[in-house]
Amino acid sequence: MGDDPTLERHFRGHRDTVTSLSFHPTTKQLVSSSNDNSIMIWNFRQSVRAFRFEAHKDNVLDVSFSPSGNLVASASRDRSVRLWVPTVQGESAEFRAHSAAVRSVHFSPDGKELVTSSDDKSAKLWTVSHRKFVSTFSGHNHWVRCVRFSPEGRLIATCSDDKTVKLFDHKTAKCVHTFPELKGSPLHVEFHPTGTCIATGMTNNMIKVYDVRMLKLLQQYVCHEGPINKVAFHPCGNYLISASNDSSLK
């Protein structure tokens, strides 16, 4: 396996649970969100100090860099989404996105649109430039934990505490398929870089990989001893990493 991982940098600054991380596309910066109601932008050069942005009135549950890296979107329990310019001033624009906590936020591949998901049982599509509402993806009957654009932008995947993962058509906002989860709830969903499949991390300690063209289960892994909060594919598509309540990454 080669050398063990070594600690490169230790970023200290949040005063509560860190809820989400997102790399700048050039990997020169990292943005984090926290239950301390703030987001922080960290630079990998030691000489550049971190920026803390405080405008949300409650826990910040998710954060994401835009594909160009010139904007950051954050989603909060205060029911709003904010778009930030990641500079010293940290200017931000707020829009009231949902009628309950906003759990997840993700930019379209071209950076022109944004999807959000919420405890109000819906996911929504917005324009980035004018923060204008475009459409609602409905059909879930419980909190929508996570929403993701496919890499080419044609599909949108959602996962919910109603124990389903849904695929929606980006343009029509119609649900094209529902994957029922029988034993656990999916906490996180992520597209493979090729857009051919999705991976979900589950409350019942499982990871499932579904083919989005054949609409069937491809693989399932039972390798953790606790719920799986996040999954991510390596950009090359050959590896999947998972983060679990059992304190391990695999």
Side-chain angles (χ1 to χ4, degrees), residues 124-171:
K124 293 184 179 184
L125 180 68
W126 312 83
T127 65
V128 170
S129 56
H130 296 99
R131 306 185 297 285
K132 206 161 117 275
F133 169 74
V134 181
S135 54
T136 298
F137 305 98
S138 51
H140 285 297
N141 54 33
H142 211 308
W143 296 357
V144 186
R145 291 263 174 191
C146 185
V147 61
R148 289 291 181 265
F149 269 102
S150 61
E152 83 301 325
R154 192 178 56 84
L155 288 173
I156 283 162
T158 56
C159 70
S160 166
D161 284 17
D162 65 9
K163 298 190 174 177
T164 66
V165 176
K166 287 183 185 285
L167 294 174
F168 292 90
D169 183 291
H170 169 200
K171 290 283 178 266

Side-chain angles (χ1 to χ4, degrees), residues 91-104:
E91 294 145 34
S92 74
E94 177 194 61
F95 56 100
R96 306 301 284 178
H98 289 274
S99 58
V102 190
R103 292 257 163 207
S104 179

Side-chain angles (χ1 to χ4, degrees), residues 14 26 47 51 64 70 85 88 104 106-108 144 149 158 174 197 218 221 226 236:
H14 281 302
T26 64
S47 54
F51 307 138
S64 181
N70 63 350
V85 183
V88 186
S104 179
H106 194 228
F107 283 93
S108 61
V144 186
F149 269 102
T158 56
K174 292 212 164 32
C197 59
L218 280 182
Y221 304 102
C236 75

Side-chain angles (χ1 to χ4, degrees), residues 1-21:
M1 290 294 286
D3 295 337
D4 280 342
T6 56
L7 180 65
E8 290 266 317
R9 289 284 307 274
H10 188 165
F11 298 117
R12 286 187 184 84
H14 281 302
R15 304 179 186 108
D16 204 334
T17 306
V18 179
T19 52
S20 181
L21 299 171

Side-chain angles (χ1 to χ4, degrees), residues 26-43:
T26 64
T27 64
K28 288 195 178 79
Q29 289 179 316
L30 180 70
V31 64
S32 58
S33 61
S34 168
N35 284 350
D36 66 10
N37 305 1
S38 79
I39 72 168
M40 289 188 77
I41 292 182
W42 313 87
N43 290 281

Side-chain angles (χ1 to χ4, degrees), residues 183-227:
K183 295 209 169 68
S185 291
L187 294 172
H188 190 79
V189 63
E190 208 65 70
F191 273 94
H192 189 270
T194 60
T196 54
C197 59
I198 53 173
T200 63
M202 312 270 298
T203 54
N204 63 345
N205 316 353
M206 291 179 84
I207 296 165
K208 291 190 177 183
V209 180
Y210 293 102
D211 188 309
V212 299
R213 295 170 303 180
M214 313 290 284
L215 304 176
K216 64 175 205 280
L217 182 66
L218 280 182
Q219 294 166 330
Q220 56 183 27
Y221 304 102
V222 188
C223 54
H224 281 288
E225 275 141 44

